[in-house]
């Protein structure tokens, strides 16, 4: 079968024929129909994030079950499914508490084991969620990033009286805008730079009450102006970029909450003295649980979260080189590969 293969640290990847997956008793094999290129795939493809080599990336996907292991009870050939990335051991305290994403033995499809940038992929049956007949494969492939944004929103404790800021208008941030809006909050403000100017316009269409281009406006002063000096109750950081924590904390009112979805690869500056004096709450989330993944599938299937405006490009798997060029150019929001 055809697959994208990352074979070593550093630049370069291959699109080549690889062996078809071997079925195991508790697994299914899926014919991949749609797979998204995620921001976390970028460092893997660029060779700046070490992974087990050789590796086929791809964790935002959906498709059709074509083979079923003999111990699998809940799926059959022909089922249309979207699998979540998280595979916990099932026996540790975190897994028992439903927090399998924090399992010490965590395995993630497309990061620790071969993923879905291929014609076929093998996954445990337990991580698959059946899709309705009316759900598109692109919608199914979009549940993963929605769930990543949702875990932070769900843990935030925001209410209908709150002013909420979303820092970053990439896919995760734009999903966060929609998910926060679903909570019935008072005001949603989305922030990004010149590079995300078009995405800020999309944020408005998806429910943001205000947008701030931080390349031209002081984000703290603009939030002060929007809120008549009251400042924000909640900031969700969906970028993980230098300088954001300083601005985010200044946007918050006393006892405000700073939720971090974006993954930091550097040590950001944070004034912990100010955090103490103003009783700011800071928390982070990573990925999602299977329960949260299923909840997000329902959001999509019920029409409460839109995915179609995000999908700017489609490429066949064989044209992965062209897709990666578009991804690197940043002239896209979400690229979907169709093996």
């Amino acid at each position: 079968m055809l697959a994208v293969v990352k074979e070593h640290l550093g630049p370069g990847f291959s699109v080549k024929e690889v062996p078809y997956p071997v079925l195991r008793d508790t697994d299914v094999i899926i014919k991949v129909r749609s797979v998204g290129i995620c921001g976390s795939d970028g460092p893997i493809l660029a060779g700046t994030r070490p992974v087990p080599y050789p590796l086929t990336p791809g964790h935002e996907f959906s498709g059709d079950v074509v083979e079923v292991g003999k111990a699998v009870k809940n799926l059959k050939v022909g089922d249309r499914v979207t699998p979540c990335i998280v595979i916990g051991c099932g026996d540790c305290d975190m897994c028992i508490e439903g927090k399998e994403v924090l399992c010490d033995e965590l395995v993630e499809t497309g990061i620790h084991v071969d993923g879905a940038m291929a014609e076929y992929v093998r996954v445990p049956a337990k991580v698959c969620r059946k899709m309705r007949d009316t759900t598109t494969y692109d919608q199914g492939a979009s549940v993963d990033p929605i769930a990543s944004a949702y875990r932070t929103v769900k843990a935030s404790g925001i209410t209908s009286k709150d002013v909420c800021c979303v820092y970053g208008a990439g896919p995760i941030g734009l999903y966060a805008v929609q998910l926060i809006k679903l909570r019935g909050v008072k005001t949603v403000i989305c922030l990004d730079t010149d590079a995300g100017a078009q995405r800020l316009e999309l944020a408005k269409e998806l429910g943001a009450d205000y947008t701030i281009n931080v390349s031209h406006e002081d984000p703290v002063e603009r939030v002060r102006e929007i809120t008549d000096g009251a400042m924000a109750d909640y900031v969700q950081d969906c970028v993980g970029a230098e300088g954001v924590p300083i601005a985010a904390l200044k946007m918050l009112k006393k006892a405000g909450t700073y939720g971090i979805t974006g993954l930091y690869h550097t040590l950001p500056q944070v004034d912990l003295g100010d955090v103490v004096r103003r009783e700011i709450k800071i928390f982070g989330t990573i990925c999602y649980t299977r329960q949260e993944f299923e909840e997000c599938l329902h959001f999509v299937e019920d029409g409460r979260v839109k995915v179609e405006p995000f999908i700017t490009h489609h490429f066949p798997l064989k044209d992965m080189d062209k897709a990666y060029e578009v991804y690197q150019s940043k002239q896209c929001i979400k690229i979907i590969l169709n093996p």
Side-chain angles (χ1 to χ4, degrees), residues 109-126:
T109 302
I111 296 173
H112 302 112
V113 294
D114 284 337
M117 290 184 184
E119 292 182 285
Y120 298 89
V121 63
R122 180 187 68 200
V123 296
K126 67 181 181 180

Side-chain angles (χ1 to χ4, degrees), residues 158-174:
I158 53 177
T159 69
S160 60
K161 67 177 179 58
D162 290 338
V163 173
C164 302
C165 296
V166 176
Y167 220 119
I172 299 291
L174 292 172

Side-chain angles (χ1 to χ4, degrees), residues 131-150:
M131 304 189 306
R132 297 175 189 170
D133 290 341
T134 54
T135 305
T136 69
Y137 293 113
D138 285 359
Q139 287 175 328
S142 301
V143 177
D144 173 274
I146 297 170
S148 293
Y150 177 59

